[in-house]
Each structure stands twice: as C-alpha cells, then as structure tokens.
Amino acid sequence: MNKKWLPLTLVLGMTGVAVVTASLWPAKEKPPLPQTLCHGALSRQSAERIDDNKGGVVVTEEWVSPGKGDTAVFKGCAVMSTGPDGDHRRELFKLVITDERYDSGPRKDSVPLGPGFKGWALPEEAEATLPAGCAVRMGSAAPYITVTFIAPSRKGEEQEKDPAERDTAIRDSAAIVREAATNLARIAGCGGK
C-alpha cells in the first residue's frame, strides 16, 4: 500500500467502526405517549384536532377534586401543546366532568350535538349530558353528569372568523364532547356504545 493513502484509509476505517458501533448501541428511548387522555374520555387523536397551528406535542394535566356541597363528581383536564423540549406550554382547551342538579339548557346561538346526544356546541365551548343512570353509577345523587369543553377565550377573534372557520370550530368542539360523553358512559357502564 502506498504510504500517502494510509491516513485516509485509517480515517475511513475509524469512521466505519464508529458508524457500526453507533447503530448497534442501544438508544435511550422515550416512553410512548398515552393514547387516552382526560380520565379515559378522549383519544390522543381527537385531542389533537384542536390545534393552535403553533406546533408541539399534546400533553394533559388531569385533576380530580371533591365536589362542592352535595355534588360528588368533579374531574377535569387541561389539554396543552408543548415545544419539543416539553417547555412553553400553551393551553388548547379544558374538559370538565361534573354532576349537576339542573339542566342549564343550550346556550344562545349554539347548535345541537346531533342524534343520540343531549347537548350543544359553540366554537369555543360545548356541553354534553351523559345518559340517564350515569350519575348514580359515578357516585352522585345529582340527576345529571355533564362534560364541558372550554377553549381559551380569544377576544376579538370570534368576530374575525369567517363562517367556514366558525363551522369547523363548532364541529371540532362537538366531536370532542360527543367522544368524551360516549367514552365516560362506556367506562361507567351506563349506556356507552
């Protein structure tokens, strides 16, 4: 072998060994992201429907607190989007599950959730009532269990939305509460599909 090619051969050989070693070295894997969120009420795919178009990974903070007065059920979660490092959390929406003494009825300008669901939807808020019997199965003496979707208020944006954007936002908020109501009823064993 010619001596002038020896340094190049050594460098290429060491590079090859480094590549093979790196490919065989066990990578530190991140744990898989949970596929159900918000006390089992939502799939990750559904939660990701509500997007602020700023990128990031969907994470949740869930909580359970004792009800106030004679209510027994109060659960919720905040669905947020984070940067790649897990920092800079931005709230996308909240999902609140609570028992209610009274049916508050639909909000002004809301649309019904559709066949098989009792509730209403707006672009930044929606509510579904779980089927009769769910309250008892979930440990409440109240007649109603509701699931409420609440998006952060964006003052001024509502007037700026064109009708197509508003319709999409309503469809998304309605889809979230329909899925949450269906899953919670199934988990409680009170009429879930």
Side-chain angles (χ1 to χ4, degrees):
M1 174 184 256
N2 191 340
K3 288 185 181 180
K4 76 177 187 179
W5 295 105
L6 184 60
L8 179 62
T9 304
L10 287 173
V11 169
L12 290 176
M14 290 189 314
T15 303
V17 169
V19 168
V20 170
T21 303
S23 68
L24 296 176
W25 198 270
K28 186 174 181 180
E29 292 184 27
K30 292 182 180 180
L33 294 170
Q35 294 305 304
T36 59
L37 309 170
C38 298
H39 307 284
L42 289 179
S43 68
R44 175 167 292 282
Q45 181 181 9
S46 292
E48 290 172 346
R49 286 178 74 141
I50 308 298
D51 187 10
D52 60 3
N53 295 318
K54 296 180 183 174
V57 177
V58 170
V59 297
T60 61
E61 287 182 8
E62 298 179 354
W63 66 87
V64 176
S65 46
K68 296 177 181 175
D70 57 353
T71 60
V73 178
F74 188 82
K75 299 179 182 181
C77 78
V79 177
M80 297 166 285
S81 185
T82 66
D85 311 358
D87 58 350
H88 305 318
R89 292 182 177 208
R90 299 175 316 276
E91 184 178 295
L92 299 176
F93 65 91
K94 287 182 184 165
L95 195 68
V96 179
I97 305 151
T98 188
D99 51 1
E100 303 284 343
R101 289 260 164 232
Y102 305 100
D103 180 2
S104 61
R107 294 277 164 88
K108 182 181 177 192
D109 298 327
S110 65
V111 298
L113 291 179
F117 293 94
K118 182 178 181 192
W120 50 268
L122 289 166
E124 294 177 351
E125 189 174 4
E127 184 175 277
T129 302
L130 271 61
C134 286
V136 171
R137 290 205 174 244
M138 295 175 89
S140 175
Y144 304 103
I145 299 285
T146 60
V147 180
T148 307
F149 163 87
I150 306 164
S153 177
R154 293 175 175 87
K155 295 188 187 254
E157 281 187 24
E158 189 59 35
Q159 289 81 19
E160 295 174 16
K161 282 186 181 176
D162 67 28
E165 287 176 328
R166 185 177 191 283
D167 289 347
T168 299
I170 289 172
R171 274 195 307 275
D172 289 345
S173 64
I176 294 286
V177 294
R178 282 195 306 260
E179 179 179 331
T182 299
N183 288 337
L184 290 168
R186 179 184 46 77
I187 291 167
C190 53
K193 297 172 183 173

